[in-house]
Amino acid sequence: MDLVKKIKSNLRLTVQIVFTALTNGYFLGFAKGKIYQGDSKQLCVPGLNCYSCPGAVGSCPIGSLQAVLGSRNFKFSFYIIGFLMMIGAFIGRFVCGWLCPFGLVQDLLYKIPGIKKIKKVIFDKQLRYLKYVILVVFVIIMPLTLTNYAGDGNPWFCKLICPSGTFFAGIPLVSMNSSLRRIIGPLFTWKVFILVSTVILSIKIYRPFCKYLCPLGGIYGLFNNYSLYKYEVDYDKCTKCGLCEKKCDMNVAAYKTPNSAECIRCGKCIEVCPKKAISTTFSKSQKPNCNSNCKLNCSGCK
């Protein structure tokens, strides 16, 4: 019974660990230092889960999108675009909060005690747009335009930026293959630098990669306000106390914008709301009856 209680009290963490284990469950890959090549690799998983991870049984949607855009034979994939739209339209950034392996890594790093946390980052609002710049430039434009003599492009986001790929794939593969260790160069050093920087920042800042750099989170965030699964505020109960905003690690004011593109659906605002005014729903929200004198300009009044 104690185990059941612990699982219930740490439900999100449990789901994160289980989903990460399932999507990276090819343990022979870690033992042999080889990438799994089974049929399931043709399918995408929802989160940022590197194709080259020795244990990965599926493909990363961002990596797959770049591969298709950079191919001389395929410049568009209805499967990948459709997959991203389906996941986004159904649950939005719930993927980031519950199903992404690198999100789990950042969550665990932020839990390290004894280190002063930074709640507000300078230029936070402006930095949030960086993930959309990365999406457009590194995921779309560069694979389409920077091609070799045969007309093939590179997955530039994976190659130059993605710390998840370095953590789950690059380091395990290099550490287990002497042939790879002999050929590593400045690019691998650069990727390790980005990973180490992300790790250090994640100890002090909640999910810096998710907030500022992740193009997949940027895509899912665009669907947050329109997805079937969403957050809803009962403005008859809400006192605008601001506790949800104070407790939110993503710095979202749920009582103003319950379905902000930055919300990862972690559920903390629901847990801390003293009036139980925030809930989840799969139905179309009804326009709440707000006080006519309210000047918050929240999403419920629009």
Side-chain angles (χ1 to χ4, degrees):
M1 290 299 293
D2 290 338
L3 178 61
V4 174
K5 289 181 180 179
K6 287 182 179 179
I7 292 176
K8 286 184 177 179
S9 62
N10 295 280
L11 178 60
R12 187 167 74 95
L13 180 61
T14 302
V15 172
Q16 288 176 290
I17 293 173
V18 170
F19 196 80
T20 297
L22 288 175
T23 53
N24 295 278
Y26 184 66
F27 300 111
L28 283 177
F30 289 106
K32 297 179 178 179
K34 294 183 179 180
I35 301 172
Y36 176 66
Q37 299 287 347
D39 292 339
S40 62
K41 272 294 182 73
Q42 299 178 39
L43 303 176
C44 291
V45 296
L48 201 70
N49 200 80
C50 188
Y51 178 96
S52 297
C53 172
V57 295
S59 296
C60 171
I62 289 297
S64 299
L65 180 60
Q66 292 172 95
V68 171
L69 293 175
S71 171
R72 65 180 182 274
N73 296 319
F74 305 99
K75 293 299 183 183
F76 186 85
S77 171
F78 287 101
Y79 165 68
I80 298 171
I81 299 299
F83 176 83
L84 290 169
M85 292 180 67
M86 180 188 71
I87 297 297
F90 187 59
I91 53 178
R93 285 196 79 177
F94 177 90
V95 172
C96 304
W98 292 73
L99 306 179
C100 182
F102 199 62
L104 169 62
V105 171
Q106 292 175 88
D107 280 351
L108 294 176
L109 288 169
Y110 192 72
K111 290 179 181 291
I112 295 176
I115 298 175
K116 186 178 180 180
K117 309 301 180 181
I118 301 175
K119 184 70 174 177
K120 289 287 187 179
V121 176
I122 300 175
F123 300 119
D124 172 78
K125 187 176 181 180
Q126 291 77 13
L127 288 171
R128 302 273 182 155
Y129 292 102
L130 186 56
K131 56 180 171 285
Y132 297 106
V133 174
I134 290 174
L135 171 63
V136 173
V137 175
F138 287 88
V139 177
I140 299 175
I141 294 178
M142 290 177 68
L144 280 172
T145 58
L146 300 183
T147 58
N148 59 22
Y149 66 92
D152 290 319
N154 283 308
W156 291 103
F157 170 74
C158 301
K159 189 173 183 178
L160 297 178
I161 299 176
C162 186
S164 178
T166 308
F167 181 82
F168 286 106
I171 291 178
L173 288 175
V174 167
S175 64
M176 291 183 287
N177 290 275
S178 58
S179 58
L180 290 177
R181 289 197 294 273
R182 287 194 294 268
I183 62 173
I184 59 174
L187 179 59
F188 185 75
T189 303
W190 166 252
K191 290 294 295 294
V192 171
F193 169 74
I194 291 182
L195 174 61
V196 171
S197 299
T198 303
V199 168
I200 294 173
L201 288 173
S202 296
I203 297 173
K204 295 183 67 66
I205 303 169
Y206 185 74
R207 290 199 179 205
F209 178 72
C210 298
K211 285 180 179 177
Y212 308 123
L213 300 177
C214 184
L216 185 59
I219 292 173
Y220 289 145
L222 296 175
F223 289 91
N224 257 13
N225 202 41
Y226 309 100
S227 62
L228 289 177
Y229 178 79
K230 60 183 60 178
Y231 280 10
E232 192 172 72
V233 177
D234 185 339
Y235 289 97
D236 290 329
K237 295 180 180 179
C238 180
T239 60
K240 285 81 176 179
C241 66
L243 188 60
C244 56
E245 181 179 13
K246 182 179 179 180
K247 295 294 184 180
C248 179
D249 291 317
M250 294 296 287
N251 306 117
V252 174
Y255 70 101
K256 294 181 181 179
T257 52
N259 295 294
S260 164
E262 300 301 323
C263 175
I264 60 172
R265 319 289 209 202
C266 70
K268 183 174 287 188
C269 58
I270 296 175
E271 295 175 3
V272 302
C273 180
K275 299 296 182 179
K276 305 300 179 184
I278 309 172
S279 60
T280 61
T281 178
F282 274 98
S283 61
K284 187 176 180 180
S285 300
Q286 300 294 322
K287 187 175 181 180
N289 296 318
C290 294
N291 189 318
S292 60
N293 294 320
C294 175
K295 298 181 180 179
L296 288 173
N297 194 32
C298 59
S299 63
C301 301
K302 297 177 181 178

